[in-house]
DNA sequence: TCCGACGATGTAAGCGCATACATTCAATCT
DNA sequence: AGATTGAATGTATGCGCTTACATCGTCGGA
């Protein structure tokens, strides 16, 4: 890293209401009114105050405002830790401004990040609509709980991704701060919940395979067993089979962890065993894409030799060859509805906890035999 | 959307230091000490206080703490608006829990989001390391400036992506709050800056094409003209040509806007004209990927008929066929270094503004003829 | 035995703002 | 003219916390 030698010299002040009031020749109450309820102040006074604000570069203190108003005007967003680290080293950079690397290995899988990114965009959009700011925190490392408390203390409510925070910790925090859980089962808690129609979506997809394509020998490749989304999807899969009078397996044929790498492992096992089902229904797109990769490499044709489906509707699923039939989750809406739920909770603290289930879209594409192949 | 009828009834309180102090039989100063400087309190007292904290579900108010401590412990992160909207409608969802759509068009381009996402991850990581929280805001719509002021008022410093905020607005905010600009030129401002070696990276990449592959007829496909990254890259391109004794164009052969869609347009124009250069050097990966798409469709072989390169090192560039030769920007590090810069600024408010330039990596892959083709 | 030092805790003063309430004054009504 | 009203503004309090300073023991050394 190159550090360019500096040039100028900045100075920094921090004006307060008192400074502005003095300069404008009014009381601090009037300054506050000009900024919060302009309709309550005369035209001339407003102008004088605004001039003083501009001249002093006054920016109201969020802390003071939050304290006085008893609400911070911020929502907190809690993510799980993808990197799963306890320690992160300080930044370490090459001294060379440019290095050359021949053909390095492909990047990691940014997909989970993408999912989070979409949810976050939704949260941000809805927060923006209501003039709220968004503070994010990753529940990571040993100080995890402290980080969460800190966040809870500085926001009006929390949006937490399911499974990110242990139930007991969340319950404790919920005592003082409204919590909305996104994509997680209600386990006897009192939080508001927002989720998607995982089970029905998977059921409709499975029924499509059964009825539109006349398939009978379907297998399920699961994700992480302790994730409620996975359970719901598997249940939807089984429900479709049972409704068609077919035997429903007790457990997924294969069990992955939602990653593409594990999807590859599963596919290799499948190929090695030599006993392919007619269709492999995967618990999520990443798994399916990993499977697809290996299958194609092994000469298995999709969908001719094997029908393959995913779940989530991530971008990459629409760009694979063949394009992946999947179930699209409204991730941005998940975030937006979560904020809505939070606002309603803040408006009516006494109301009983709610659960919202967002609709999904089954996208029929090439990997099941639909779409333009 | 399905709203499941509610069940329980939550109640919410909000304990304060006073409550905890009373319950533990100590003064509020002691409560504060237990939480901030535990080493200054006796073992027994600490335990009593912590018990009271737990029993009451006490979470300190961030606003009050921020006010008293004169620092909020948060950094602000300002993004540009990708969607470029003035208004965003309320959430609108289908009433059907599951809908089926045959073969919908491919998704949008989440790539800019990805870039931002990586920078944000870096900011978050470094903030986490220093026990800071991160508050994000998108400079969007008419209330843009108000949103920014609000953010500036509630954080200790701002990380702003270059070009997101007009220079005069940023200067005004900089009067009261330290600002670090990421990936933007310094235009006589007093902010700290963090960028990457765009010019040198592009120059090395271009020199590789000239010397390792013996190419002579190179063209440049630019991005948005008003973006400093684009200028730097084009300058690096020209510097390499001049150093090799070749004529350097005054302007890019083609001018896009960093999107894949525009890349496609450019490629069509190129193909229609029928006059392909030996190599097309693109200002970023998205453009290159769009170009690649059309070229392959038109039967142009890469790299045999045309050498193609990108810039940024996004994930998709490593997954295309052929894989894209490009220059990788350390996006996560960009975010991390920005926070570092902010912390140093907070520690030494009087120091002159700094500029940090992070190193890049030239990734030689298939699209220039390197790598395993 | 007395004094100083030091560790542990309490006291009290804000931090910068919002807001309930009081005050002022001009316009309106009787 | 005096009373009444309402808009515009000021006064004063407190939000919940941190922290400088004061206080109180306790213990070791003279």
């Amino acid at each position: 890293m190159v550090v360019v030698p500096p040039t100028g010299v900045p100075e920094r002040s921090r004006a307060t209401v008192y400074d502005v009031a003095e300069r404008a020749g009014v009381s601090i109450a009037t300054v506050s009114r000009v900024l919060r309820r302009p309709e309550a102040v005369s035209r001339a006074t407003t102008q004088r105050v605004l001039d003083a604000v501009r001249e002093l570069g006054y920016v109201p203190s969020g802390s003071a405002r939050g304290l006085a108003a008893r609400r911070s005007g911020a929502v907190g967003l809690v993510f799980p830790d993808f990197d799963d680290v306890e320690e992160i080293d300080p930044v370490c950079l090459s001294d060379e401004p440019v290095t050359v690397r021949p053909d390095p290995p492909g990047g990691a899988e940014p997909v989970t990040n993408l999912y989070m990114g979409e949810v976050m965009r939704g949260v941000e959009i809805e927060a923006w609509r209501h003039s709220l700011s968004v503070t994010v925190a990753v529940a990571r490392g040993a100080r995890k709980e402290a980080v969460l408390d800190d966040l809870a203390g500085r926001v009006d409510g929390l949006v937490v991704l399911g499974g990110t925070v242990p139930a007991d910790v969340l319950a404790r925090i919920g005592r003082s701060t409204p919590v909305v859980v996104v994509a997680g089962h209600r386990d006897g808690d009192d939080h508001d919940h927002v989720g998607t129609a995982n089970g029905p979506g998977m059921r409709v997809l499975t029924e499509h395979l059964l009825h539109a394509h006349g398939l009978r020998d379907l297998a399920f490749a699961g994700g992480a067993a302790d994730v409620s989304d996975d359970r719901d999807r598997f249940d939807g899969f089984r429900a479709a089979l049972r409704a068609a009078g077919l035997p429903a397996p007790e457990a997924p044929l294969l069990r992955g962890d939602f990653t593409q790498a594990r999807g590859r492992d599963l596919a290799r096992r499948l190929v090695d065993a030599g006993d392919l089902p007619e269709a492999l229904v995967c618990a999520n797109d990443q798994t399916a894409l990993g499977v697809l990769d290996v299958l194609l490499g092994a000469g298995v044709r999709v969908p001719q030799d094997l029908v393959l489906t995913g779940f989530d509707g991530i971008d990459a699923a629409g760009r694979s060859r063949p394009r992946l039939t999947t179930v699209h989750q409204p991730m941005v809406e998940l975030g937006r509805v979560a904020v809505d739920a939070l606002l309603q909770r803040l408006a009516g603290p006494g109301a009983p906890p709610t659960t919202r289930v967002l609709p999904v879209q089954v996208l029929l594409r090439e990997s099941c035999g639909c779409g333009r192949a």
Side-chain angles (χ1 to χ4, degrees), chain A:
Chain A
M1 184 174 75
V2 179
V3 177
V4 176
T7 53
V9 179
E11 81 278 3
R12 203 114 35 201
S13 65
R14 201 112 184 184
T16 72
V17 258
Y18 297 99
D19 302 322
V20 175
E22 185 179 352
R23 178 152 199 142
V26 299
S27 75
I28 62 164
T30 298
V31 174
S32 181
R33 284 192 201 101
V34 167
L35 267 32
R36 299 298 137 224
R37 304 173 43 238
E39 72 282 0
V41 183
S42 78
R43 199 99 184 96
T45 306
T46 297
Q47 197 49 57
R48 286 218 313 286
V49 170
L50 290 182
D51 287 345
V53 164
R54 183 159 14 78
E55 289 159 18
L56 293 172
Y58 170 66
V59 176
S61 153
S63 294
R65 173 179 303 178
L67 181 57
R70 273 165 271 275
R71 24 173 282 117
S72 66
V75 308
L77 183 51
V78 181
F79 286 138
D81 176 26
F82 313 116
D83 312 317
D84 199 26
V85 290
E86 282 297 318
E87 289 290 330
I88 291 185
D89 296 328
V91 189
C92 177
L93 294 166
S94 158
D95 281 337
E96 295 298 319
V98 184
T99 54
V100 178
R101 279 173 60 187
D103 195 41
E109 300 180 52
V111 183
T112 317
N113 293 354
L114 261 184
Y115 181 100
M116 310 279 62
E118 293 294 282
V119 172
M120 181 160 117
R121 243 183 90 222
V123 167
E124 187 279 324
I125 286 175
E126 205 59 22
W128 176 82
R129 288 190 60 233
H130 297 277
S131 298
L132 298 170
S133 65
V134 178
T135 301
V136 301
V138 173
R140 172 200 290 129
R143 301 196 325 274
K144 182 183 311 192
E145 208 164 331
V147 168
L148 234 81
D149 279 349
D150 179 87
L151 182 62
R154 62 173 76 224
V155 300
D156 295 329
L158 287 175
V159 174
V160 180
L161 269 92
T164 307
V165 180
D168 58 332
V169 174
L170 211 54
R172 179 174 65 70
I173 291 184
R175 286 177 63 185
S176 60
T177 310
V179 169
V180 175
V181 177
V182 170
H185 266 175
R186 175 189 300 287
D187 287 318
D189 60 61
D190 282 336
H191 316 303
D192 292 304
H193 282 249
V194 179
T196 55
N198 280 303
M202 184 57 96
R203 175 167 179 169
V204 170
L205 173 62
T206 307
E207 286 169 345
H208 170 78
L209 301 182
L210 294 171
H211 305 135
H213 297 290
L215 303 173
R216 282 295 169 270
D217 177 22
L218 312 188
F220 191 88
D226 54 344
V227 175
S228 67
D229 281 352
D230 186 72
R231 290 202 301 273
D232 291 343
R233 292 170 195 176
F234 185 54
D235 287 346
F237 172 75
R238 298 203 304 163
L241 292 182
R242 278 198 306 268
L246 294 172
E250 279 302 308
L253 174 65
L254 300 162
R255 167 72 67 197
D257 60 359
F258 287 129
T259 68
Q260 197 163 335
R262 282 302 299 276
R264 289 204 182 83
D265 291 347
L266 302 187
R268 276 189 215 102
R269 230 184 295 164
L270 216 53
V271 169
D272 288 348
D275 182 26
L276 296 183
E278 285 182 322
L280 185 62
V281 175
C282 299
N284 74 330
D285 285 342
Q286 289 153 273
T287 301
L289 289 174
V291 166
L292 180 62
D293 207 26
V294 169
L295 288 185
L296 294 182
V300 178
R301 294 170 307 163
V302 176
Q304 295 90 336
D305 301 335
L306 176 85
V307 161
L308 184 68
T309 66
F311 205 108
D312 276 348
I314 66 174
D315 192 67
R319 302 180 185 280
S320 60
R321 295 223 22 213
R323 296 165 61 228
L324 200 61
T325 287
T326 186
V327 179
H328 179 260
Q329 300 212 66
M331 293 175 285
V332 171
E333 285 73 18
L334 220 43
R336 295 186 62 176
V337 170
V339 172
D340 273 345
L342 207 46
L343 290 172
Q344 265 182 259
R345 170 62 51 204
L346 289 168
T354 63
T355 300
R356 288 153 222 245
V357 181
L358 306 198
V360 298
Q361 280 192 330
V362 178
L363 304 184
L364 303 179
R365 299 199 280 218
E366 297 163 356
S367 75
C368 74
C370 290
R372 42 173 187 274

